[in-house]
């Protein structure tokens, strides 16, 4: 189907300021979530460097542990931890929306999200058990 | 003095000065008036020159969407009492070019709507006009796409979507939801044809899951879920196409 | 002036217009076809239809039963040959729209489900929850998008028909966006512009229902048929007149008066709440007149009670009723009875056509609510109108293909001359109004108030005479109209003035036909002539425009199998 291409009238286009994402809390939260992926990546690098240190022997591991005890590193880990947590929470919520369905005979979005949390906690406990035992 | 309420409207008329400005009207406050009632009052009694779209005034034709104090809403089902005694600002729907006052140009949306092929596609074309009997479809099969079939094309989700604002090539929430509606209809066999439009740079992968499309949808269509599900679907089928060596 | 040439032009992009367009595109895609509509097609008022669409599909039903119900509903004013064609085509059409994606509610086995509706003797009303019109319109619109040959002029308003020596030659239309007029030439024009609801103040109809098609045809010499028959739907929400579907009674809702009595017992003991609309509406008015209605800030009303249906059934079958109550009446029908009052709903009359959509002007067709075939006679049964626009939209489409293949296009000099005459009139009447004093809004609100008060559910001689006098005065005032703006782009004030002119013209015909029909039949109820009078009035009214105002003629009703009988439910 084609719409006749008439000579069209002049429209007004509103520009979007760079601060658009400060206008609404949902936009701010969205930007924070986007930002959180940087910290998720950073944390992954931290873990990789730890694995690398372990592979290089006890001394290098001890050095790594010593290095991570500085105030700055602890602060960085707290910040990374918060962002990763936020990232996880939003991801669980979205996965509920993707895989959940309203109506009988299907898992509701809330149930799918809850299931995510349950699996998360179980795996975490498992990992904790392995480390601590 | 009787109760009054102030409405500030965006004004734009390319015939006159072509400036995008605002104009404030003070009208009597009625607790049971919708914003559309207020606009119709202004048009009939105070200023015949304002332009806006409306028709059904029962939230089903999708004409009367505007930015109400910065949020996309249907003005027929948004009431003055939500804002009184505060003031109300009305702007044309965000992210669309303004034609005149509160009227926006939705031709981009209309073209995208067509591009998704929103009709039942059958491999055998004769099926489409065979009226000897209906296709069978159980209530359970219907539940799968029902929600996404409720879109009234009001375009509020486009006004709420920052991705569409920043990247106008994005085919947008309502159109993807409509594609999802047909893809998940047991009567349809057109998923492959729609994949070209859905699963590319301007399609679902442009979406960064802000989620505001779903928040503003007056019919609870949940375009955001439709988009994310289509992403999963398109990722899986991409993976399998690589696995089996068959191209896209 | 710019001439855009077509073979077929469809005015109006609602259900009938889209169905016609698809019929044409399917049977002959080489024909240059366009839909010209003053709103985007999916905004058309078909979108607001709720309850369903009637057709014979079930084993316990047959075409004769549907035809008889329709004819009895019409108070024996329907043309029976047209009704028979209608019910036969209906079955095919509802399956066709299913194949185009309409999500009809289903039985567990996957077949299309049906519900009860007023005046129907079988369960034959197919439905998509209570958003049937919405789904039907979007299915049609979206299906129409697959035809590349089909053009659209969205948000173009047709201001005049161009008729050359008794033959249609095209239309003169304004592109609202640019504010410029063009000639849209065509060998065939189909009017699918809907009804005239906005001449009333308390109406379920959308703002766009301004009788454009009827007025366009009437001014060009085509007669309007049965315009006195206006349907008042029993259940309008207070204040706004927004429709609460008859399906709410079809699914088992009750009507109660102030005394807590299901008053339909007194008026239609067998059918109760599922009597035809004219009867239920009058019953409500009788209850109110007898002081058995409720009183509130928005006037008198009765209760429509759905509470006993329970939330799950309401959410499954009547979700829109709940949405509308919550959004527009601030109450929840799951917990409270709905306050309702009859609301102007449907125009039984319209542009006079035969059952193929032809009007007396060669090449001019009409379909849907804009047309009067007549299958509804004096009162339409609920759920026959969605079916009507499918059946007669398709029929008009097929007729148009046939006609357009043989008709010759009008030469462009002739078109320019015809258009110039119309354009001069438009300039003088609507645009150059510097010396005017009258406002569109003021005339419109007086017209609508007058129609509500004097040409409503019950009519009387004096009231109708007053209405006609008032309308004539309003027409005089319109001659001194003044528009506050001359600018072109999206000038809705100008479009509003043209619509008001159409409404005045049509309202005049409605009031005059109502005055001449001194009997009560279907939707036309005269307090001073409370009985049906088959001796004098078993005929259609045909109204022509003349220099002295509306000129009324009569046309016999076509009978096939069913003799007029007393109408009892």
């Amino acid at each position: 189907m084609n719409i006749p291409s008439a000579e069209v009238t002049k429209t007004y286009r509103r520009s979007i300021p760079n601060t658009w994402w400060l206008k609404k809390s949902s936009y701010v939260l969205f930007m924070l979530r986007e930002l959180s992926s940087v910290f998720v990546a950073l944390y992954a690098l931290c873990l990789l460097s730890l694995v690398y240190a372990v592979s290089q022997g006890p001394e290098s591991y001890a050095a790594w542990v010593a290095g991570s005890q500085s105030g700055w590193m602890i602060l960085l880990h707290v910040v990374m931890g918060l962002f990763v947590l936020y990232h996880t929470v939003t991801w669980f919520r979205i996965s509920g929306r993707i895989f959940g369905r309203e109506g009988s005979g299907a898992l509701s979005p809330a149930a799918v999200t809850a299931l995510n949390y349950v699996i998360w906690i179980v795996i975490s406990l498992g990992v904790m058990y392995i480390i601590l035992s | 003095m009787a109760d009054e309420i102030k409405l500030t409207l965006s004004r734009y008329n390319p015939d006159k000065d072509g400036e995008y400005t605002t104009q404030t009207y003070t009208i009597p406050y009625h607790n049971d008036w919708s914003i559309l009632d207020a606009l119709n009052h202004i048009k009939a009694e105070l200023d015949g020159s304002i332009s806006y779209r409306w028709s059904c005034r029962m939230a089903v034709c999708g004409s009367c969407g505007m930015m109400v104090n910065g949020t996309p809403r249907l003005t027929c089902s948004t009431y003055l009492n939500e804002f009184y005694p505060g003031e109300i600002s009305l702007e044309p729907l965000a992210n669309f070019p303004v034609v005149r006052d509160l009227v926006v140009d939705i031709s981009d949306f209309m073209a995208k709507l067509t591009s998704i092929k929103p009709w039942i596609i059958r491999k055998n074309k004769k099926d489409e006009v065979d009226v000897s009997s209906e296709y069978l479809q159980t209530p359970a099969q219907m539940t799968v796409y029902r929600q996404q079939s409720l879109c009234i094309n009001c375009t509020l989700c486009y006004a709420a979507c920052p991705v569409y604002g920043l990247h106008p090539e994005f085919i947008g929430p309502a159109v993807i939801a409509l594609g999802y509606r047909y893809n998940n209809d047991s009567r349809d066999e057109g998923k492959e044809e729609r994949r070209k439009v859905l699963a590319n740079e301007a399609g679902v992968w442009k979406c960064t899951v802000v989620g505001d499309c779903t928040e503003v949808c007056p019919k609870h269509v949940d375009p955001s879920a439709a988009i994310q599900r289509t992403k999963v679907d398109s990722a899986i089928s991409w993976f399998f196409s690589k696995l089996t060596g068959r191209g896209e | 002036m710019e001439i855009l040439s077509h073979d077929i032009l469809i005015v109006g992009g609602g259900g009938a217009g889209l169905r016609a367009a698809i019929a044409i595109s399917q049977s002959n895609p080489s024909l240059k076809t366009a839909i010209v509509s003053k709103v985007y097609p999916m905004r058309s008022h078909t979108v607001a239809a709720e309850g369903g669409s009637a057709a014979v599909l079930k084993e316990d039903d047959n075409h004769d039963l549907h035809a008889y119900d329709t004819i009895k509903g019409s108070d024996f004013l329907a043309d029976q040959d047209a009704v028979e064609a209608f019910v036969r085509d209906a079955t095919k059409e509802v399956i066709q729209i299913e194949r185009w994606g309409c999500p009809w509610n289903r039985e567990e086995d996957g077949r299309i489900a049906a519900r009860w509706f007023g005046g129907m003797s079988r369960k034959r009303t197919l439905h998509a929850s209570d958003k049937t019109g919405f789904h039907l319109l979007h299915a049609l619109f979206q299906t129409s998008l697959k035809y590349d040959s089909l053009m659209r002029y969205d948000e173009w308003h047709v201001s005049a028909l161009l008729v050359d020596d008794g033959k249609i030659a095209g239309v003169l239309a304004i592109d609202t966006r640019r504010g410029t007029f063009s000639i849209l030439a065509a060998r065939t024009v189909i009017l699918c512009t809907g009804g005239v609801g906005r001449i009333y103040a308390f109406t379920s109809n959308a703002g766009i229902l301004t009788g454009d098609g009827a007025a366009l045809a009437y001014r060009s010499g085509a007669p309007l048929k049965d315009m006195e028959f206006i349907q008042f739907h029993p259940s309008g929400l207070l204040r706004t007149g927004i429709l609460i579907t008859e399906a709410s009674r079809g699914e088992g809702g009750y009507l109660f008066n102030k005394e807590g009595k299901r008053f339909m017992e007194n008026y239609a003991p067998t059918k109760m709440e599922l009597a035809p609309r004219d009867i239920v509406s009058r019953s409500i008015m009788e209850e109110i007149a007898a002081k058995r209605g409720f009183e509130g800030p928005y006037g008198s009303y009765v209760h429509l009670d759905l509470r006993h249906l329970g939330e799950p059934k309401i959410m499954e079958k009547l979700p829109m009723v709940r949405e509308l109550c919550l959004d527009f009446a601030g109450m929840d029908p799951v917990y409270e009875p709905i306050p309702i009052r009859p609301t102007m709903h449907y125009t039984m009359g319209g542009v006079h056509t035969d059952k193929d959509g032809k009007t007396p002007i060669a090449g001019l067709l009409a379909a849907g609510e804009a047309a009067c075939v007549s299958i509804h006679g004096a009162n339409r049964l609920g759920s026959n109108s969605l079916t009507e626009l499918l059946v007669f939209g398709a029929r008009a489409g097929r007729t148009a293909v046939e006609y357009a293949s043989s008709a010759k296009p009008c030469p462009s000099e002739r078109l320019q001359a015809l258009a110039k005459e119309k354009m001069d009139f438009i300039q003088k009447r609507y645009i150059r109004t510097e010396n005017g004093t009258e406002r569109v809004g003021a005339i419109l609100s007086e017209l609508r108030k007058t129609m509500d008060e004097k040409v409503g559910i019950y009519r009387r001689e004096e009231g109708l005479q007053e209405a006609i006098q008032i309308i004539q005065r309003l027409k005089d005032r319109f001659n001194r109209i003044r528009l506050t703006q001359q600018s072109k782009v999206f000038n809705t004030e100008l479009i509003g003035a043209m619509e008001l002119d159409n409404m005045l013209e049509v309202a005049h015909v409605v009031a005059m036909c109502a005055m001449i029909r001194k009997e009560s039949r279907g939707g036309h109820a005269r307090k001073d002539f409370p009985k049906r009078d088959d001796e004098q009035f078993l005929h259609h009214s045909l109204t022509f425009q003349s220099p002295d105002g509306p000129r009324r003629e009569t046309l016999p009703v076509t009978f096939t199998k069913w003799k007029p009988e007393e109408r009892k439910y």
Side-chain angles (χ1 to χ4, degrees):
Chain A
M1 175 159 322
N2 42 52
I3 296 151
S5 60
E7 57 175 279
V8 181
T9 62
K10 201 170 148 234
T11 55
Y12 181 80
R13 284 170 192 273
R14 291 159 286 178
S15 58
I16 299 173
N18 288 332
T19 54
W20 64 268
W21 55 278
L22 290 171
K23 294 241 165 77
K24 270 183 76 179
S25 60
S26 64
Y27 291 172
V28 174
L29 288 173
F30 156 70
M31 282 307 245
L32 284 176
R33 196 193 69 223
E34 293 293 275
L35 185 65
S36 72
S37 25
V38 173
F39 290 91
V40 172
L42 213 55
Y43 190 59
L45 287 178
C46 276
L47 279 178
L48 281 175
S49 72
L50 173 63
V51 171
Y52 180 74
V54 171
S55 74
Q56 296 300 304
E59 280 146 53
S60 121
Y61 173 68
W64 192 93
V65 171
S68 66
Q69 276 169 348
S70 79
W72 284 110
M73 279 309 276
I74 290 171
L75 183 67
L76 179 67
H77 272 81
V78 169
V79 173
M80 282 192 303
L82 286 174
F83 271 107
V84 169
L85 190 66
Y86 179 59
H87 196 92
T88 310
V89 168
T90 55
W91 177 252
F92 283 2
R93 226 187 42 185
I94 290 168
S95 71
R97 293 265 295 285
I98 297 172
F99 299 107
R101 293 283 195 283
E102 297 296 352
S104 58
L107 280 179
S108 72
V112 172
T113 303
L115 195 66
N116 268 299
Y117 278 103
V118 170
I119 294 171
W120 182 34
I121 290 166
V122 168
I123 291 178
S124 300
L125 287 176
V127 170
M128 241 161 82
Y129 176 78
I130 292 167
I131 292 173
L132 296 179
S133 61
Chain B
M1 198 182 78
D3 288 350
E4 289 179 333
I5 187 164
K6 277 199 173 105
L7 280 86
T8 301
L9 277 55
S10 295
R11 301 299 312 260
Y12 169 70
N13 184 350
D15 282 348
K16 247 168 94 194
D17 42 19
E19 271 176 55
Y20 185 74
T21 59
T22 59
Q23 192 168 352
T24 301
Y25 301 87
T26 305
I27 60 160
Y29 170 69
H30 295 268
N31 162 51
D32 54 4
W33 272 16
S34 66
I35 291 178
L36 179 61
D37 289 331
L39 280 173
N40 284 343
H41 172 86
I42 295 171
K43 175 116 184 142
E45 306 294 333
L46 304 176
D47 184 354
S49 76
I50 59 167
S51 288
Y52 53 96
R53 292 189 179 107
W54 73 283
S55 180
C56 77
R57 52 86 172 102
M58 54 191 278
V60 66
C61 79
S63 307
C64 69
M66 293 169 207
M67 303 303 283
V68 180
N69 288 358
T71 305
R73 305 280 293 267
L74 293 180
T75 51
C76 67
S77 54
T78 305
Y79 290 84
L80 299 181
N81 63 19
E82 189 183 326
F83 307 93
Y84 181 81
E87 299 182 7
I88 295 173
S89 94
L90 295 178
E91 293 165 74
L93 282 179
N95 301 335
F96 290 99
V98 185
V99 171
R100 164 83 192 258
D101 297 341
L102 298 162
V103 177
V104 293
D105 181 354
I106 60 164
S107 43
D108 176 54
F109 168 75
M110 295 303 286
K112 285 170 176 162
L113 185 81
T114 310
S115 75
I116 203 71
K117 305 195 175 186
W119 52 82
I120 299 278
I121 298 173
R122 298 285 287 195
K123 301 229 160 76
N124 182 354
K125 295 289 159 206
K126 281 194 186 126
D127 289 350
E128 290 163 16
V129 290
D130 175 8
V131 294
S132 58
S133 70
E134 72 262 49
Y135 298 124
L136 294 183
Q137 183 169 66
T138 64
Q141 288 175 314
M142 226 166 111
T143 331
V144 181
Y145 70 90
R146 178 110 218 176
Q147 187 181 18
Q148 276 72 29
S149 74
L150 296 174
C151 170
I152 60 172
N153 300 349
C154 65
T155 68
L156 296 193
C157 53
Y158 286 73
C161 176
V163 178
Y164 180 63
L166 296 165
H167 308 280
E169 70 275 17
F170 179 39
I171 60 171
V175 166
I176 297 174
L178 196 60
Y180 178 92
R181 173 248 176 277
Y182 280 98
N183 279 348
N184 287 279
D185 190 322
S186 60
R187 299 169 289 185
D188 183 81
E189 299 169 344
K191 207 168 175 178
E192 286 306 317
E193 285 189 44
R194 287 185 203 102
R195 196 188 308 286
K196 291 177 215 103
V197 187
L198 282 173
N200 71 21
E201 267 303 289
V204 288
W205 298 109
K206 201 93 211 164
C207 168
T208 52
V209 208
V210 180
D212 269 34
C213 51
T214 294
E215 295 303 314
V216 301
C217 178
K219 296 290 150 186
H220 314 293
V221 168
D222 201 355
S224 178
I227 298 171
Q228 312 326 321
R229 288 173 194 165
T230 307
K231 281 181 189 169
V232 172
D233 191 68
S234 118
I236 291 173
S237 72
W238 178 83
F239 182 73
F240 275 104
S241 74
K242 293 291 159 199
L243 207 66
T244 57
R246 269 183 277 147
E248 279 287 271
Chain C
M1 206 183 304
E2 175 186 35
I3 299 182
L4 301 157
S5 298
H6 311 83
D7 295 310
I8 303 171
L9 208 58
I10 299 160
V11 184
L18 290 167
R19 183 64 190 90
I22 296 172
I24 296 160
S25 306
Q26 273 183 333
S27 75
N28 189 350
S30 69
L31 287 172
K32 217 174 157 202
T33 306
I35 296 176
V36 44
S37 170
K38 67 178 176 178
V39 290
Y40 281 94
M42 69 278 185
R43 314 291 189 219
S44 310
H45 195 53
T46 304
V47 82
E50 298 173 23
S53 177
V56 172
L57 220 54
K58 301 286 163 192
E59 292 73 20
D60 67 342
D61 202 358
N62 65 56
H63 289 140
D64 271 2
L65 280 174
H66 188 190
Y68 172 72
D69 290 345
T70 302
I71 288 160
K72 185 178 172 189
S74 81
D75 223 345
F76 297 90
L77 197 70
D79 288 313
Q80 300 186 357
D81 57 336
V83 174
E84 290 190 62
F86 164 68
V87 297
R88 270 198 315 272
D89 283 10
T91 304
K92 285 181 271 183
E93 284 296 330
V94 294
I95 294 173
Q96 177 62 84
I97 190 82
E98 191 279 332
R99 293 208 158 224
W100 290 337
C102 182
W104 294 124
N105 275 41
R106 305 289 177 148
E107 311 282 4
E108 282 306 319
D109 65 1
R111 293 189 314 148
I112 301 175
R115 64 164 42 130
W116 285 110
F117 237 68
M120 299 286 185
S121 59
R122 293 288 185 276
K123 263 193 185 182
R124 68 165 73 95
T125 298
L126 319 189
H127 52 283
S129 72
D130 58 350
K131 303 184 178 190
T132 313
F134 161 78
H135 284 297
L136 201 136
L137 181 71
H138 281 252
L140 282 170
F141 176 56
Q142 289 162 9
T143 300
S144 82
L145 294 174
K146 76 177 169 188
Y147 298 102
D148 288 329
S149 60
L150 187 58
M151 299 214 315
R152 284 204 327 265
Y153 296 92
D154 293 330
E155 299 188 320
W156 286 51
H157 179 84
V158 173
S159 326
L161 301 182
L162 304 176
V163 179
D164 181 28
D165 193 22
K167 282 201 317 238
I168 196 75
V171 307
L172 181 67
I174 175 173
D175 173 7
T176 313
R177 171 82 182 264
R178 290 179 300 163
T180 50
F181 287 83
S182 307
I183 298 169
L184 306 183
R187 290 184 274 182
T188 311
V189 172
I190 314 177
L191 297 172
C192 305
T193 52
V196 308
R198 279 275 147 179
I199 62 176
Y200 288 85
F202 196 68
T203 174
S204 67
N205 284 200
I208 51 176
L209 276 313
T210 52
D212 300 342
L216 288 170
Y218 182 64
R219 288 200 194 99
S220 305
L224 303 183
K225 186 158 75 191
D226 292 343
M227 290 304 287
E228 60 272 42
F229 297 104
I230 298 288
Q231 179 164 80
F232 291 85
H233 193 290
S235 46
L237 276 187
L238 299 187
R239 192 179 85 84
T240 55
I242 287 172
L243 177 71
I244 296 299
T245 173
E246 182 168 318
S248 51
R249 282 170 283 130
E251 295 293 345
Y254 298 141
L255 290 172
F256 286 113
N257 63 18
K258 189 172 68 176
E259 293 160 1
K261 190 175 157 167
R262 279 178 72 189
F263 56 83
M264 284 311 296
E265 239 167 66
N266 300 343
Y267 305 95
T270 38
K271 281 268 171 191
M272 295 293 286
E273 279 86 356
L274 285 178
R277 290 172 176 171
D278 57 333
I279 294 173
V280 181
S281 286
R282 279 195 295 275
S283 308
I284 295 172
M285 297 316 281
E286 290 297 324
E287 290 299 302
I288 288 171
K291 302 278 175 221
R292 290 193 293 269
F294 300 87
E295 296 296 329
Y298 304 117
S300 315
Y301 60 93
V302 296
H303 275 160
L304 170 60
D305 199 341
L306 308 182
R307 287 176 297 181
H308 57 286
L309 303 180
E311 186 171 350
K313 184 163 184 183
I314 291 176
M315 288 312 290
E316 193 205 331
K317 298 281 194 172
L318 304 165
M320 185 156 169
V321 166
R322 192 174 188 195
E323 273 174 43
L324 291 171
C325 288
L326 289 168
D327 282 352
F328 299 99
M331 49 77 53
D332 186 343
V334 171
Y335 305 108
E336 288 169 84
I338 311 169
I340 52 121
R341 180 155 54 95
T343 180
M344 185 286 168
H345 183 57
Y346 187 84
T347 316
M348 264 78 74
V351 181
H352 167 51
T353 72
D354 65 10
K355 58 182 187 288
D356 297 315
K358 288 183 187 153
T359 74
I361 295 177
L364 180 67
L365 312 175
E369 194 175 345
C372 179
V373 177
S374 146
I375 58 160
H376 305 310
N379 173 63
R380 173 175 74 78
L381 289 188
S383 75
N384 264 351
S385 70
L386 286 181
T387 314
E388 173 193 24
L389 51 83
L390 294 174
V391 167
F392 290 98
R395 289 179 85 97
R398 292 194 289 267
T399 309
V401 170
E402 219 170 278
Y403 185 86
S405 324
S406 61
K408 282 200 211 64
C410 183
S412 53
E413 314 82 69
R414 183 74 191 120
L415 274 170
Q416 292 287 5
L418 289 167
K420 184 174 183 308
E421 189 190 321
K422 301 286 182 193
M423 202 55 229
D424 290 346
F425 175 80
I426 287 167
Q427 284 283 353
K428 214 167 85 210
R429 188 158 179 82
Y430 309 115
I431 299 175
R432 299 218 181 87
T433 59
E434 292 84 357
N435 301 322
T437 50
E438 295 287 348
R439 287 183 307 113
V440 170
I443 298 178
L444 179 59
S445 63
E446 188 166 347
L447 171 69
R448 300 180 71 197
K449 181 167 162 271
T450 304
M451 294 303 285
D452 269 14
E453 286 171 3
K454 301 181 196 300
V455 200
I457 294 184
Y458 285 117
R459 296 146 182 201
R460 288 184 180 80
E461 189 74 16
E462 317 82 74
L464 292 167
Q465 270 169 3
E466 281 164 27
I468 291 167
Q469 281 164 11
I470 293 170
I471 292 166
Q472 269 161 341
R473 275 207 304 277
L474 292 175
K475 279 179 155 177
D476 284 342
R477 282 172 62 185
F478 191 92
N479 295 332
R480 301 187 299 277
I481 201 82
R482 177 178 171 78
L483 299 193
T484 58
Q485 59 165 339
Q486 307 297 316
S487 69
K488 285 186 156 181
V489 175
F490 226 94
N491 184 339
T492 51
E493 193 184 24
L494 171 62
I495 306 290
M498 293 195 273
E499 289 174 334
L500 174 58
D501 206 12
N502 291 343
M503 290 158 86
L504 287 167
E505 200 70 84
V506 175
H508 195 174
V509 178
V510 173
M512 209 205 63
C513 290
M515 193 177 75
I516 295 174
R517 191 174 280 275
K518 296 185 195 325
E519 64 157 353
S520 289
R521 181 187 298 272
H524 172 68
R526 292 278 304 246
K527 272 282 178 192
D528 41 0
F529 298 95
K531 290 253 167 354
R532 191 172 88 193
D533 182 354
D534 286 347
E535 291 282 301
Q536 287 194 70
F537 289 104
L538 187 52
H539 55 232
H540 300 293
S541 60
L542 276 192
T543 312
F544 297 82
Q545 193 184 40
S546 82
D548 319 316
R551 176 174 59 81
R552 183 181 181 272
E553 292 179 8
T554 64
L555 187 77
V557 176
T558 308
F559 289 89
T560 56
K561 292 186 198 163
W562 297 276
K563 294 238 161 0
E565 58 190 52
E566 195 192 351
R567 185 164 166 260
K568 265 191 156 161
Y569 289 94

